[in-house]
Amino acid sequence: MRIAVLGAGYVGLVSGACFAEFGIQVCIVDTDPAKVEALQRGVIPIYEPGLDKLVVENQADGRLSFTTRLEEAMEGADCVFLAVGTPSRRGDGHADLQYVFAAAEGVARAAKKDLVLVTKSTVPVGTGKKIKEIVQRVRPDLTIHVASNPEFLREGNAIGDFMRPDRVVLGAESEAAFATLRRLYRPLYLIETPIVATSLETAELIKYAANAFLATKITFINEMADLCEKVGADVHDVARGMGLDGRIGRKFLHAGPGYGGSCFPKDTLALAMTARDAGSPVRLVETTIAVNDARKEAMADRIIAALGGEVAGKSIGILGVTFKPETDDMRDAPSLVILPKLVAAGAKVVVHDPQPHQARQSLPGAVTFVATPLEAVTGADAVALLTEWNEYRSMAPERLRGAMRGKVVLDLRNAWDPEAMREAGLDYSGIGRP
């Protein structure tokens, strides 16, 4: 089989490389000539463990290619995936679908034969129907089957999630579309991956519902952490006691500074807007959004309070600023709210992150980036752990105390041993822990 993927961003690049690993001929097309030229040289524009190796190997084997020309990418393709961006629309929070619709129209105009057009981007319910109307209007002479195949890739573990998924969701209206998609995912049948075959609308809603539920689960444990601090309980044990219940599960029960990233903030907001427009508001999701936004602000206040309510002229070492470990993604990261507030209060903010490229572009110029964790904490009046990269987990408390000027340590990810920190003479505080 041969497929084309529109968009060499996170979803398109990972999906295309993994399909190529399945033995499928894949051509990824992007409108950015510099990005395409870099990819042709094996230079990956994002950080995702293992992706560079996968891209280079499949290019060398002739299964993966890149181009800026849509017609070239679609030559002989049985299936075309739309993996273009769907950012939140300014002003109202709806998903901005202009790129999806433009890409669908472009595919229809360039098509030379019947094919399956699959939405891989996260889109609101009803988008597939609109795409169907577009392609039928532009190319009434062809049969272009419209399908939905939402992605469930976690940044930092995307390749594993694609190769060994919990499930594959397929939404379509024709057996021809289902048959084509099942052929693409045939390698997963060997490991008995569940395939959920359903309607376009249901597939679109599954993705939003899943992300909203996980975002709500994170927000719930964050609120339990706040309660733990008031009543003297330990959120770590609360989460463990809850997670051992098979009906609840252990994942996404880790208290922290709030969720961020490319999916949860955007998708919860889009779902809330879609539901409101449909006359069926999702009040739980709306509350989750509001609580999460407020939490990021509260984390900055927590750091300021730990330093006596005044940070002007004080040095604060920040460990990790990406929204989670094993990615360079800064989209809606808590640090984007926390650090500007500290800078505005007059603090000297010194940052280390193992993948700082996007962070350097996203954070205010008053923030100083350094090359090692030790540099970030040296001479600091306080240290705050925002992202739990493994290299921070292994930091010796004695070394941390010896490098700092002060002794205030705020562990916003509960990654460190409280007893060890306190035994080293540090004024340690975690999230929801006594």
Side-chain angles (χ1 to χ4, degrees), residues 354-377:
Q355 294 293 327
H357 176 67
Q358 289 191 32
R360 290 180 187 275
Q361 301 173 12
S362 304
L363 289 166
V367 171
T368 301
F369 282 86
V370 293
T372 68
L374 187 61
E375 288 180 78
V377 304

Side-chain angles (χ1 to χ4, degrees), residues 256-323:
Y259 61 77
S262 62
C263 294
F264 289 179
K266 172 177 66 72
D267 293 351
T268 50
L269 190 57
L271 177 61
M273 294 299 103
T274 298
R276 188 173 294 178
D277 288 350
S280 181
V282 282
R283 295 183 181 89
L284 185 60
V285 177
E286 292 175 358
T287 301
T288 293
I289 295 166
V291 171
N292 188 67
D293 289 344
R295 186 166 190 81
K296 296 175 185 179
E297 294 277 352
M299 291 299 105
D301 295 337
R302 177 186 289 251
I303 296 171
I304 294 170
L307 283 167
E310 178 60 61
V311 296
K314 294 182 180 179
S315 176
I316 302 176
I318 301 292
L319 297 177
V321 288
T322 54
F323 90 94

Side-chain angles (χ1 to χ4, degrees), residues 39 68 82 119 129 133 149 156 264 323 326 387 419 423 425:
L39 286 165
T68 57
L82 301 181
T119 305
K129 292 286 190 184
E133 292 172 4
N149 175 215
F264 289 179
F323 90 94
E326 300 300 330
T387 310
E419 286 189 20
E423 286 174 2

Side-chain angles (χ1 to χ4, degrees), residues 122-139:
T122 302
V123 297
V125 179
T127 302
K129 292 286 190 184
K130 293 177 182 176
I131 290 174
K132 183 178 178 181
E133 292 172 4
I134 290 170
V135 298
Q136 287 180 339
R137 170 176 54 78
V138 174
R139 293 302 299 274

